[in-house]
Amino acid sequence: MSVGSRSTLLSAEHSGDDKAAVAETGARSDGSGLLAVGFGTSVVMWTVGYICRFPGVSTPSWLLLCLLLLCLVSGGYIAGRVSNRPLVAGLLTGLIAATLNLLVLGSLLSGSEPGTIVPSALWWLPGSLLVSSLLGGLGATLGRSQRSVDTTWFSHNGVAALAVVGTAATFLLLIVGGIVTGSEAGLAVVDWPNSYGYNMFLYPLSRMTGGIYYEHGHRLLGALVGLTTVVLALQLYRVEPRRWLWRLGLFAVVMVALQGILGGLRVTGHFTLSSDPAVTRPSIWLAVTHGVLGQLFFATMVAIAVFASAAWTRTATAQ
């Protein structure tokens, strides 16, 4: 959207003409639909990976790999069915998902000591991006032959779809957080933002066992939710003519940032990189606040998804 167009829409909203603003929202392509499919593909992959690697669940590595690759093909398939440029959409879906998955890929590339990575990382990083893109393109090729008759939903309701993906990721985060609390694993990782001296995104998968798996998985998923919220807020700011709604998106970013800080300080009690129990001061009150704010953040994401939905905008236009 051009600056002039956005200014016109904001002026219309400011003067009370919310109908015109909402109608324009549904009449443009903003690229959010592609982000929704890419982010959604990654969220599904994270869910599958979390369940398959859950302590006590003995999923063979080859089977987990096949499931993850199937997720990428499926994401590309959806993009191919609903996009006017199916192959490009499929390739970008795979690339978006692979970029987000770098948050967990580091757990496979970390060395035996903090701050080190395995030499094969130089191949894994570009290779994962390339393979994921190709699989997304393959899925789009399959989906192109069964394209939906109406492809306008993909381009005109993308922000709402991205908000739904963010809400789903947040719901998953609440479940994982509940597992952390229920298993009393909130202090399984004794430092923050590092994890036993490792960069949080480079903590080896081989060491994620028991309570450490619960707590560290919660941290990584929190990073995914935070990144999703930031992208959603940017899209709302870029294309949403209803000023109050994109401000609500910015408020969600503040909430998720605060939530992450509270979760870390619950472990250390203050800002420190030390893992020495004599230095850290775990706080049960911060843990309670962290839990309550998590519910409020989820409610905020649900509200954004509702307000951005086609059903809501149709109602606003009709009034």
Side-chain angles (χ1 to χ4, degrees):
M1 175 186 290
S2 67
V3 175
S5 176
R6 179 177 176 81
S7 299
T8 300
L9 292 172
L10 291 179
S11 298
E13 186 206 24
H14 185 69
S15 64
D17 191 7
D18 200 41
K19 282 187 181 180
V22 172
E24 178 67 18
T25 301
R28 62 169 179 273
S29 174
D30 54 44
S32 299
L34 179 59
L35 288 171
V37 178
F39 273 73
T41 300
S42 186
V43 170
V44 173
M45 293 179 71
W46 283 48
T47 303
V48 170
Y50 182 82
I51 294 173
C52 289
R53 284 304 182 197
F54 198 81
V57 179
S58 301
T59 304
S61 297
W62 66 266
L63 178 57
L64 174 57
L65 177 61
C66 290
L67 291 174
L68 295 178
L69 297 181
L70 179 61
C71 288
L72 287 167
V73 175
S74 299
Y77 178 83
I78 294 173
R81 287 202 61 179
V82 300
S83 174
N84 289 320
R85 302 173 63 191
L87 182 57
V88 173
L91 292 171
L92 290 177
T93 292
L95 182 61
I96 292 170
T99 301
L100 294 172
N101 291 341
L102 292 178
L103 295 174
V104 294
L105 182 61
S107 64
L108 299 174
L109 305 180
S110 183
S112 58
E113 298 294 333
T116 62
I117 59 174
V118 297
S120 59
L122 296 176
W123 296 98
W124 271 91
L125 291 175
S128 66
L129 297 174
L130 177 60
V131 171
S132 296
S133 297
L134 293 177
L135 288 173
L138 173 62
T141 301
L142 298 174
R144 179 170 54 184
S145 61
Q146 303 181 39
R147 284 179 60 189
S148 302
V149 176
D150 183 10
T151 61
T152 58
W153 190 96
F154 181 83
S155 57
H156 292 166
N157 299 276
V159 171
L162 183 59
V164 170
V165 170
T167 302
T170 304
F171 182 68
L172 175 62
L173 180 60
L174 290 179
I175 294 176
V176 173
I179 293 175
V180 173
T181 302
S183 61
E184 299 183 349
L187 299 176
V189 181
V190 297
D191 52 345
W192 175 82
N194 291 332
S195 297
Y196 287 103
Y198 283 86
N199 179 287
M200 183 177 72
F201 302 108
L202 296 176
Y203 189 73
L205 178 63
S206 60
R207 300 190 182 188
M208 296 183 201
T209 58
I212 295 178
Y213 181 85
Y214 302 144
E215 169 60 14
H216 193 70
H218 182 59
R219 292 185 179 190
L220 293 177
L221 186 55
L224 177 63
V225 170
L227 184 57
T228 305
T229 305
V230 170
V231 172
L232 173 61
L234 289 174
Q235 286 299 100
L236 285 170
Y237 180 78
R238 188 172 70 88
V239 304
E240 178 54 57
R242 291 168 289 178
R243 183 176 299 179
W244 60 270
L245 184 51
W246 60 256
R247 283 180 174 173
L248 184 60
L250 295 178
F251 178 68
V253 173
V254 174
M255 290 185 71
V256 77
L258 180 60
Q259 179 72 338
I261 294 173
L262 286 174
L265 293 182
R266 177 267 185 276
V267 174
T268 63
H270 61 112
F271 291 100
T272 177
L273 295 177
S274 176
S275 58
D276 185 352
V279 176
T280 57
R281 301 187 297 270
S283 172
I284 186 62
W285 293 110
L286 287 178
V288 172
T289 304
H290 178 67
V292 172
L293 183 59
Q295 311 300 318
L296 295 175
F297 173 71
F298 176 66
T300 301
M301 294 297 288
V302 171
I304 293 174
V306 171
F307 295 144
S309 67
W312 183 276
T313 53
R314 280 197 303 267
T315 301
T317 304
Q319 292 177 349

